[in-house]
Amino acid sequence: MPLPREPFITIAYADIANQLRGKGFPAADLEKRRAHGVGWTPTNIMINCFGRIPATPWGAIGDLELVPAEGGDVIIDHGDGTREHFILGDVRTLDGQPWSCCPRSFLRSALGTLEAETGLSLIAAFEHEFHYTGARERQADAYAIGSYRGAEAYFEMLLATLRANGLEPDTILPEYGPRQFEITVDPAPGLEAADRAVKLKEIARALAERFGARASFSPVVTPGIVGNGVHIHFSFRDRHGRPATYDADGPHGMAPAMASFAAGILKYAPDYVAVTAPSVISYERLKPNSWSAFWTNLGVMDREASLRICPVPEHGDVDVASRFNLEFRAADAAGNPYLQLGMLVHAGLAGIREKLAAPNVAQGSPAALSDAEREALGFQELPRTLVAALDRMESSAAVAGWMHPDLLKAYVMHKRGEASMVEGLDLATQCSRYAEVY
Ligand code: GLU
Ligand code: MG
């Protein structure tokens, strides 16, 4: 006779450390909890990826609520009678207003401003790379179909669980690095796209554990070996839902608003990269010859640009206008998807307001150019460390206009505390500390 069990559900949110934290309740109370959520406290957002709170603006003071979001449910059925049910939530004040530091509310508000000012809505997709320790490691496995063998059950359960939760898998592939894989899901409106990024990562991690393995999304798992990027794809729709990114006669196929949006994203990238590439080891990935990003250049057929125009085959019956999109590459999964996409929206919108011209494209790699040539083309170098990126962010008038002062202060304090915890450790130790948590 099996012992009695009672199911529970957790309401959680992706915090500054991009960990899902929250509180649970008996499943029987779901309807009540959909309306009122669970209690929360401001300082919880200061728990860093290593589980510590080196500093906090709030101490023990304050009460908030974590309220389930519509469409936030994820159910992971392990097929053995156990299932996990969690619901992504928004953090609100006790009078029901968005909390000044709620990452999901930050993105919602950025998308709302974009739409109100320009009539454009943003569609996005987060492309993830990760290491799966349940796969064998063989020297010849870069992009090789043999990489899946022995681990097919994991990947098939991953696809099925994503689909069961409304994420439509698009591609799955063995990546270049040992035991490294990439998975993409279909694009969705901005807020939902960020929800999908959070859901995908948690589903991949949870299923891996059932196989006694780990799925690590850490930006660099092993020093010197190609990292795990997150490439954030985006495009525009107009007020009628029509594609508004492409213009065959525009610069590199970009419609005028997208050209300025792209220019804003690149102009301000050094100011906000502490949010898109937010860990100490993120900067080990943002190096030349890593196929990630090093300068703030726009790439056409260049996978080492911060921003890349993704080519759409122009033959057959392909609808170029609806598939045309850009990809931001200076991001990784240590970052919170709502904050990452929110920063891109703010920077892009600044580009539209400033009526910036389309960004320049280098012929070949900017590495081949002189400093003066790069400067003339507007290719800035990204900050080289997290601490340098935080200094830059703190002194940015632009960022101060985008983030609520509470959020900016909490973010910088959180990240400086995290950096101090791995400072002075050798790179291999830093990478293994991060691989344990991402
Ligand atoms: N692994 C690379 C990165 O860190 C990306 C490789 C690719 O172009 O897919 O972003
Ligand atoms: Mg890839």
Side-chain angles (χ1 to χ4, degrees):
M1 226 333 240
L3 292 173
R5 294 162 66 149
E6 178 170 343
F8 64 91
I9 299 171
T10 307
I11 307 176
Y13 81 122
D15 60 11
I16 290 177
N18 199 25
Q19 299 290 331
L20 272 181
R21 303 187 211 268
K23 286 188 181 173
F25 56 85
D29 291 343
L30 180 57
E31 286 327 305
K32 186 180 86 190
R33 295 288 179 181
R34 282 217 191 269
H36 301 292
V38 292
W40 202 244
T41 189
T43 282
N44 283 359
I45 205 166
M46 302 307 287
I47 305 171
N48 68 25
C49 62
F50 304 119
R52 297 287 167 79
I53 309 174
T56 166
W58 299 281
I61 305 300
D63 271 299
L64 299 163
E65 52 185 28
L66 188 52
V67 184
E70 212 182 304
D73 289 65
V74 171
I75 295 176
I76 306 173
D77 189 340
H78 291 291
D80 58 2
T82 56
R83 28 181 256 164
E84 287 177 43
H85 184 174
F86 65 85
I87 315 177
L88 301 184
D90 286 312
V91 191
R92 297 202 196 141
T93 58
L94 295 187
D95 56 2
Q97 296 308 305
W99 180 42
S100 56
C101 298
C102 170
R104 210 167 171 274
S105 306
F106 173 73
L107 175 58
R108 186 189 292 107
S109 142
L111 292 165
T113 310
L114 174 71
E115 198 160 349
E117 278 188 37
T118 65
L120 297 165
S121 55
L122 192 92
I123 308 293
F126 288 67
E127 170 187 329
H128 283 91
E129 293 171 336
F130 65 103
H131 278 69
Y132 178 58
T133 65
R136 279 172 308 167
E137 184 174 337
R138 302 183 313 178
Q139 275 189 17
D141 269 353
Y143 296 109
I145 60 165
S147 313
Y148 302 114
R149 293 202 184 116
E152 291 92 340
Y154 171 71
F155 292 102
E156 290 184 3
M157 281 179 70
L158 178 56
L159 293 192
T161 309
L162 292 173
R163 198 178 295 287
N165 285 287
L167 284 75
E168 302 117 312
D170 180 36
T171 57
I172 177 155
L173 53 123
E175 254 289 351
Y176 181 72
R179 304 196 290 192
Q180 190 187 28
F181 297 86
E182 177 185 305
I183 184 153
T184 58
V185 296
D186 282 355
L191 192 63
E192 188 186 336
D195 285 344
R196 287 180 175 205
V198 174
K199 291 175 181 179
L200 180 143
K201 206 158 69 80
E202 205 59 26
I203 289 170
R205 285 162 44 138
L207 291 175
E209 283 187 31
R210 301 301 288 197
F211 285 86
R214 292 204 61 241
S216 174
F217 292 77
S218 179
V220 178
V221 172
T222 312
I225 304 239
V226 66
N228 290 319
V230 169
H231 302 160
I232 306 176
H233 294 254
F234 55 89
S235 58
F236 285 151
R237 293 281 188 275
D238 69 14
R239 285 190 210 282
H240 308 285
R242 291 178 303 224
T245 319
Y246 181 69
D247 179 344
D249 301 324
H252 310 289
M254 289 181 290
M258 183 48 85
S260 296
F261 193 81
I265 284 179
L266 291 172
K267 174 177 172 181
Y268 293 107
D271 294 32
Y272 64 75
V273 73
V275 172
T276 56
S279 73
V280 169
I281 57 165
S282 296
Y283 295 82
E284 291 302 313
R285 180 182 152 259
L286 300 182
K287 286 189 163 167
N289 305 319
S290 305
W291 291 47
S292 55
F294 192 79
W295 285 282
T296 63
N297 59 314
L298 175 67
V300 176
M301 314 244 181
D302 173 7
R303 285 183 166 74
E304 237 168 43
S306 291
L307 196 59
R308 185 173 86 101
I309 297 181
C310 301
V312 179
E314 295 190 33
H315 53 77
D317 57 359
V318 173
D319 177 8
V320 179
S322 67
R323 292 198 33 199
F324 190 76
N325 69 91
L326 276 70
E327 163 192 83
F328 181 79
R329 296 175 67 90
D332 64 61
N336 176 298
Y338 307 101
L339 299 180
Q340 290 175 320
L341 191 57
M343 291 310 247
L344 297 186
V345 171
H346 278 295
L349 181 57
I352 293 178
R353 287 179 187 147
E354 295 169 35
K355 300 188 172 48
L356 297 181
N360 289 307
V361 170
Q363 301 303 321
S365 167
L369 304 173
S370 69
D371 287 349
E373 285 168 323
R374 281 194 291 267
E375 201 183 318
L377 290 166
F379 302 162
Q380 313 165 70
E381 216 178 277
L382 291 169
R384 300 266 60 100
T385 64
L386 176 61
V387 170
L390 290 167
D391 289 345
R392 173 78 183 241
M393 180 166 155
E394 237 181 342
S395 63
S396 164
V399 172
W402 306 338
M403 284 178 123
H404 190 287
D406 295 350
L407 177 57
L408 181 54
K409 182 176 176 192
Y411 190 88
V412 173
M413 190 184 280
H414 177 123
K415 286 289 161 185
R416 286 202 195 283
E418 172 187 328
S420 72
M421 286 184 64
V422 290
E423 197 186 332
L425 298 179
D426 62 73
L427 181 56
T429 310
Q430 289 180 335
C431 289
S432 63
R433 294 287 309 274
Y434 276 106
E436 270 172 40
V437 292
Y438 289 113

